[in-house]
Amino acid sequence: MQASWKGAVIASSDDIVMVEGNAYFPAEALDPAHVQPSEHRSVCGWKGEAHYYDVVVDGAVNPNAAWFYPEPKDAARQIRGRVAFWKGVTVQ
């Protein structure tokens, strides 16, 4: 699978974990040139605290378009070390 935005591949991997319709890519599949840490956080009752990345392509920034759980709860342990996308990032 690939995650792309504005024609750039943000992540690519065959090792995908699907949770709630979202494809979680291994963190090492991310292209570091296209992500930067965000200060945004949110909380999911069963997964834990989500941290975010901004997706960046050719100077355009898609804020908080990627998320991950650095310390997921036990029920979501399969997504530890993985990143998912939304906000216009195409995953196919």
Side-chain angles (χ1 to χ4, degrees), residues 11-75:
S12 182
S13 180
D14 292 329
D15 178 15
I16 301 297
V17 173
M18 296 296 294
V19 175
E20 296 181 322
N22 295 303
Y24 283 81
F25 290 75
E28 58 271 13
L30 285 175
D31 181 341
H34 293 300
V35 292
Q36 62 188 24
S38 166
E39 295 297 317
H40 185 69
R41 304 289 185 264
S42 66
V43 176
C44 172
W46 73 274
K47 289 180 281 200
E49 183 180 65
H51 292 218
Y52 291 79
Y53 291 117
D54 296 338
V55 172
V56 182
V57 174
D58 294 330
V61 178
N62 189 347
N64 309 316
W67 75 91
F68 63 100
Y69 293 87
E71 297 293 331
K73 293 184 177 184
D74 284 344

